[in-house]
Amino acid sequence: MIEKTATHSPQVRNEYINRELSWLQFNARVLQEAYDKKIPLLERLRFLGIFSNNLDEFFKVRYATIRRIEEAGKTGRSFLGGFSAKELLAEITHTVIDQQAYSLKILSDIHRELKKENIFIINETQVTRKQSQFISDYFVKYVSPAMMTIMIGELDEFPSLRDSAAYLAIRMVMAKEDDTFETKYNYALIEIPRTIDRFVVLPQEGDKQYVIILDDLIRHCLHNIFGIFNYESISAHMIKITRDAELDIDSDLSRSFIEKISKSVKKRSIGDPVRFVYDKNIDTETLQYLLQKMGIDNTDSIIPGGRYHNRRDYMNFPRLGRPDLQYEPTEPLPIPGLSMQGRLFDKIKERDYLLHTPYQTFMYVVKFLREAALDPKVKSIKITIYRLAEVSHIASSLINAKKNGKDVTVQIELQARFDEEANIKYAELLQSENVHLKFGVKGLKVHCKMILIERLENKKIVRYGLISTGNFNESTARLYTDYALFTADERICKEMNKVFDFFEVNYQIKKYRHLIVSPHYTRNAISHLIDIEIKNKKAGLPSGIRLKMNSLADYKMIDKLYEASRAGVKIKMIVRGICCLIPGVKGMSENIQAISIVGKFLEHPRLFIFENAGKPKVYISSADFMGRNLDNRVEITCPIYDEGIKQELLENFEIGWRDNVKARVFSAKNDNAYRKNNKPPVRSQFAMYDYYLNKLEVN
């Protein structure tokens, strides 16, 4: 029987939970989804893949940052939640080893459940003669041409291993009569090809379906690869290295910004190793040989793992024609009153509309741009881009608009973490079509998501805007919950234009009456809104704060919320990921409650609600309460003026707050305990879809 939570919980020190350890607890919540037997089997595998992918990115970025602090001889206690960098590295490694072991138990449990469904994931020792012939043919036709095999024992210098690539470490014990090598033991590395699906579906036999992992398919064919040598025995064990992903952008003024980012991204492949994961069953001699050759010592995070690495590939496990083992698909709904057939501009001019993906279709955003590209009255389109889909209708719409003579300006963030290469390609594509490109503001990432369209109506320019909490990405819009506001409200659109002006002339700091813009105003504006709630509470007026976000890690903002709690202001928070605030502590945060919802979709919107003496102020935002969002990025927090949309967002928050199926409670215990109460079960993401379905029926 698998326990419901991993045994190791991060420690709490002082008034905050450490950011890195809080993030690891978020990933533990992802593991809880993989464990949950009420979730369809193939979806549980997907959550295991998400867990592994998250962990890879964590080591590339966060672990690497802490290690640099430690190597610089600094403790970092003041901003590491009471830990020294050295203590934190040890705590992270301890936690990750525990979580990895837990994930392997879950995977083993899922394999047993799959067998009950006549789905068998077999290894090279379980292959039948008939399957062996299929595998051999498949290997020769697809795998062998794509495979890289390196005889490392024969090299003077150990090759640089690719970041996050999976390798089979081969050890051959040579026969006495073999004179090819001077040594009895010889080693090789096989890089698992990334261009081939990790899971190979074998021919079905009756009702039974068989899948072999590419690693085991290669193991089955080792003699095909190394048959030219005379060996007594051969073994293969998986290893993987994770490298520091920090970009080091050079200051060469003669190089374009695209060239600088491109060069920096390529350097990632030779970044310092920060994690070495290996099959715990590997023989000691091979492990020590590899560690010595790679120069990995005890200062690096060395993680014993299972037989297979890069379990992120489980996100793309074949569906095998088994819809009964997957989430029931839900068709994205239309926005009431906003037809995909008519002209969007006419409707948006009359009133604001809110899009809530994936419950409602992202195609409204595509149509917004497609319509602008074709409309003769549209004169200009301005857009900020952070992440795009691999095949982007957004990009093609912008190119279409340019070909139709529109003035198109694209602010594209080339430093969007792990999307740099994709954004460089899109930047080059847009540049080749003569689209006007902007590459942000020096020292700041542009993280806000907005589109501004200018249209000539009755000889006057009328602006139409779209402000989103998430990326203009068709792929993630099917998986991430996000808000997007369509508006022609001149108060908002005029100030959106100011932000675009700031990209052009960024030494001039603009003033805003409606939008709250980082890095110049967000911290003070949010603090002021909290102060108003404190003042109203003391005056006996209605007060309260409701916040929904991805991460809460800024200590000054946490202190402000603690101050409000001590004044008696009731605070409810839905925080998906990092939460460094500790709720429910007497004398500090007893008036704060916080939950995290992890479920079918990834919760991504930021929603801020301030009671304001009974006249709530409601905002959607691209910014979390993290130092980077408040001080080092261009972000937009947008007020909601339409009373209908304001009510919709208030109801949205309450649906999430009532969740008692997928909600976990934040507390000083930091143990990811599920919320338990005697109320009827509410699974908020399913309830949210029903909410919008009901809106359609009412209208």
Side-chain angles (χ1 to χ4, degrees):
M1 181 67 178
I2 299 173
E3 66 270 29
K4 290 191 178 181
T5 57
T7 55
H8 185 72
S9 295
Q11 303 172 38
V12 175
R13 300 187 181 186
N14 303 328
E15 299 172 351
Y16 317 105
I17 295 171
N18 169 267
R19 169 180 166 168
E20 283 68 36
L21 299 182
S22 179
W23 185 93
L24 287 173
Q25 284 300 90
F26 158 66
N27 217 24
R29 294 193 285 278
V30 175
L31 268 187
Q32 286 179 321
E33 291 299 288
Y35 169 81
D36 190 346
K37 292 179 172 57
K38 295 178 182 177
I39 291 176
L41 266 177
L42 296 183
E43 303 294 348
R44 291 173 64 190
L45 278 178
R46 186 172 69 88
F47 278 111
L48 271 180
I50 294 170
F51 164 81
S52 181
N53 188 65
N54 287 347
L55 204 54
D56 282 348
E57 293 192 4
F58 173 81
F59 271 89
K60 290 178 188 178
V61 181
R62 296 308 309 165
Y63 184 92
T65 298
I66 305 305
R67 204 184 72 155
R68 284 196 298 273
I69 294 171
E70 196 268 337
E71 288 177 345
K74 299 177 181 179
T75 66
R77 287 186 187 275
S78 61
F79 54 90
L80 294 179
F83 287 84
S84 71
K86 186 175 182 179
E87 290 173 328
L88 185 55
L89 291 174
E91 184 72 19
I92 289 170
T93 300
H94 182 55
T95 302
V96 169
I97 289 173
D98 187 72
Q99 289 184 352
Q100 288 279 39
Y102 178 50
S103 71
L104 290 174
K105 291 180 181 179
I106 293 172
L107 182 57
S108 179
D109 182 58
I110 293 174
H111 279 196
R112 285 193 296 272
E113 294 296 318
L114 286 170
K115 287 178 182 178
K116 295 177 184 178
E117 297 290 340
N118 275 334
I119 296 172
F120 300 88
I121 302 175
I122 61 173
N123 63 37
E124 76 280 7
T125 67
Q126 301 166 311
V127 171
T128 66
R129 184 175 299 178
K130 184 178 179 182
Q131 290 169 337
S132 178
Q133 185 59 52
F134 176 89
I135 287 171
S136 296
D137 292 343
Y138 187 93
F139 177 82
V140 170
K141 188 173 182 180
Y142 300 108
V143 182
S144 182
M147 205 169 60
M148 182 77 69
T149 304
I150 309 168
M151 302 301 297
I152 55 177
E154 297 299 295
L155 299 177
D156 294 330
E157 187 175 334
F158 195 84
S160 178
L161 303 190
R162 292 176 61 188
D163 173 54
S164 294
Y167 292 86
L168 285 176
I170 309 299
R171 182 177 189 253
M172 289 184 288
V173 181
M174 310 310 298
K176 290 181 181 179
E177 57 270 23
D178 185 277
D179 60 358
T180 309
F181 302 104
E182 295 180 2
T183 59
K184 181 177 178 62
Y185 304 103
N186 275 279
Y187 301 93
L189 288 177
I190 297 175
E191 182 176 345
I192 305 297
R194 296 186 182 188
T195 55
I196 300 172
D197 289 340
R198 185 79 179 280
F199 302 97
V200 179
V201 179
L202 302 178
Q204 190 165 334
E205 297 180 10
D207 293 333
K208 295 181 177 180
Q209 294 175 288
Y210 294 90
V211 176
I212 189 168
I213 298 177
L214 185 59
D215 322 4
D216 290 332
L217 185 147
I218 293 172
R219 284 185 173 102
H220 183 75
C221 299
L222 284 179
H223 191 68
N224 184 301
I225 305 167
F226 298 102
I228 61 173
F229 305 125
N230 190 4
Y231 55 80
E232 291 178 356
S233 64
I234 188 167
S235 60
H237 294 86
M238 187 72 74
I239 64 168
K240 181 176 77 170
I241 197 165
T242 304
R243 298 186 180 276
D244 187 337
E246 186 65 24
L247 292 182
D248 182 18
I249 303 171
D250 67 50
S251 56
D252 185 352
L253 297 177
S254 68
R255 299 171 65 87
S256 74
F257 193 55
I258 291 179
E259 287 179 301
K260 291 178 184 180
I261 296 294
S262 182
K263 180 182 176 183
S264 185
V265 169
K266 288 176 183 176
K267 284 184 179 179
R268 273 187 180 155
S269 63
I270 57 172
D272 290 339
V274 293
R275 179 178 59 154
F276 177 77
V277 185
Y278 63 91
D279 182 343
K280 62 181 181 294
N281 293 319
I282 195 171
D283 57 278
T284 304
E285 293 81 4
T286 303
L287 178 61
Q288 291 304 317
Y289 175 86
L290 292 169
L291 293 176
Q292 180 185 353
K293 288 291 186 180
M294 287 189 283
I296 295 176
D297 55 34
N298 291 331
T299 63
D300 301 294
S301 192
I302 301 172
I303 309 289
R307 178 180 170 91
Y308 310 101
H309 303 155
N310 279 4
R311 291 197 301 277
R312 63 171 181 255
D313 293 331
Y314 278 109
M315 289 192 290
N316 297 312
F317 190 83
R319 294 316 191 186
L320 301 171
R322 293 293 301 271
D324 56 314
L325 300 182
Q326 304 170 48
Y327 279 128
E328 184 179 344
T330 50
E331 190 67 26
L333 303 168
I335 299 173
L338 193 61
S339 172
M340 288 287 288
Q341 304 303 317
R343 192 200 300 266
L344 290 185
F345 293 132
D346 291 346
K347 290 288 188 178
I348 296 169
K349 191 172 183 179
E350 294 173 2
R351 51 156 289 202
D352 292 354
Y353 288 89
L354 185 74
L355 169 66
H356 193 178
T357 59
Y359 310 109
Q360 295 167 321
T361 176
F362 180 80
M363 292 310 294
Y364 281 105
V365 179
V366 177
K367 177 172 170 54
F368 188 59
L369 284 173
R370 289 284 190 204
E371 188 175 315
L374 300 180
D375 189 340
K377 293 185 178 181
V378 169
K379 300 304 175 185
S380 74
I381 300 172
K382 300 175 185 178
I383 185 173
T384 60
I385 289 175
Y386 197 74
R387 302 188 199 276
L388 291 175
E390 187 175 351
V391 178
S392 174
H393 297 305
I394 300 297
S396 63
S397 298
L398 295 170
I399 292 169
N400 190 184
K402 183 63 182 176
K403 288 182 180 297
N404 280 325
K406 316 300 181 189
D407 182 9
V408 180
T409 299
V410 176
Q411 157 60 50
I412 187 165
E413 182 49 72
L414 295 185
Q415 297 182 74
R417 182 84 71 182
F418 303 122
D419 273 77
E420 297 95 345
E421 289 182 87
N423 284 1
I424 288 169
K425 288 178 182 177
Y426 273 119
E428 291 172 340
L429 172 64
L430 293 166
Q431 208 166 47
S432 70
E433 297 289 347
N434 296 316
V435 170
H436 178 50
L437 292 187
K438 299 295 297 180
F439 297 120
V441 182
K442 188 176 181 180
L444 303 174
K445 278 188 181 180
V446 178
H447 189 247
C448 59
K449 289 88 177 180
M450 59 177 181
I451 301 171
L452 187 64
I453 293 169
E454 294 183 327
R455 191 168 182 265
L456 188 63
E457 299 176 10
N458 298 322
K459 299 182 180 180
K460 288 178 59 179
I461 290 293
V462 177
R463 296 188 179 103
Y464 296 84
L466 173 62
I467 294 180
S468 178
T469 65
N471 296 302
F472 299 131
N473 184 319
E474 301 95 311
S475 299
T476 57
R478 293 193 291 268
L479 303 171
Y480 292 17
T481 66
D482 268 306
Y483 293 121
L485 179 73
F486 293 92
T487 184
D489 190 320
E490 186 58 21
R491 294 171 294 181
I492 292 173
C493 292
K494 185 177 180 180
E495 295 194 352
M496 289 174 67
N497 198 52
K498 282 188 178 183
V499 179
F500 280 108
D501 287 344
F502 174 67
F503 298 146
E504 297 284 349
V505 185
N506 47 64
Y507 57 82
Q508 293 181 354
I509 298 175
K510 307 292 183 179
K511 292 184 178 180
Y512 306 90
R513 294 184 58 195
H514 305 279
L515 297 181
I516 301 173
V517 181
S518 291
H520 304 114
Y521 301 108
T522 306
R523 182 181 292 280
N524 287 340
I526 298 296
S527 295
H528 177 66
L529 288 164
I530 295 172
D531 282 335
I532 291 173
E533 297 308 312
I534 294 172
K535 181 180 177 182
N536 287 341
K537 178 64 180 178
K538 290 178 177 178
L541 298 171
S543 66
I545 300 170
R546 286 168 278 181
L547 305 171
K548 182 171 184 176
M549 63 188 74
N550 296 322
S551 298
L552 172 58
D554 185 83
Y555 291 165
K556 289 182 181 178
M557 199 60 74
I558 291 171
D559 288 342
K560 197 69 187 174
L561 292 169
Y562 284 161
E563 180 187 342
S565 174
R566 285 191 288 267
V569 178
K570 298 292 184 183
I571 302 171
K572 296 177 180 178
M573 299 192 304
I574 304 174
V575 184
R576 185 197 79 220
I578 298 166
C579 183
C580 297
L581 179 149
I582 308 172
V585 177
K586 191 171 182 181
M588 182 176 80
S589 59
E590 67 252 54
N591 287 306
I592 302 177
Q593 299 178 68
I595 62 172
S596 173
I597 298 169
V598 178
K600 178 179 180 180
F601 304 122
L602 185 135
E603 296 282 333
H604 194 254
R606 292 84 166 182
L607 172 62
F608 310 149
I609 303 168
F610 299 90
E611 186 59 34
N612 191 41
K615 298 178 180 178
K617 289 187 175 182
V618 179
Y619 301 84
I620 61 171
S621 180
S622 61
D624 289 309
F625 284 6
M626 301 181 76
R628 67 187 188 190
N629 302 104
L630 301 171
D631 304 322
N632 300 309
R633 290 184 172 186
V634 179
E635 307 273 13
I636 288 178
T637 299
C638 177
I640 301 298
Y641 292 139
D642 183 282
E643 291 300 323
I645 295 176
K646 188 181 291 187
Q647 184 60 34
E648 178 180 333
L649 290 169
L650 293 171
E651 290 168 357
N652 274 198
F653 186 92
E654 290 309 309
I655 290 171
W657 190 253
R658 290 199 304 270
D659 194 306
N660 56 5
V661 176
K662 290 298 175 185
R664 284 76 156 180
V665 180
F666 287 108
S667 71
K669 293 180 180 178
N670 206 23
D671 59 358
N672 282 334
Y674 284 88
R675 172 187 266 174
K676 303 288 185 183
N677 56 39
N678 296 322
K679 297 178 181 178
V682 176
R683 188 169 178 175
S684 59
Q685 292 182 348
F686 292 2
M688 197 73 74
Y689 186 83
D690 291 340
Y691 169 85
Y692 284 107
L693 195 59
N694 184 60
K695 270 185 170 291
L696 283 176
E697 292 171 356
V698 170
N699 283 271

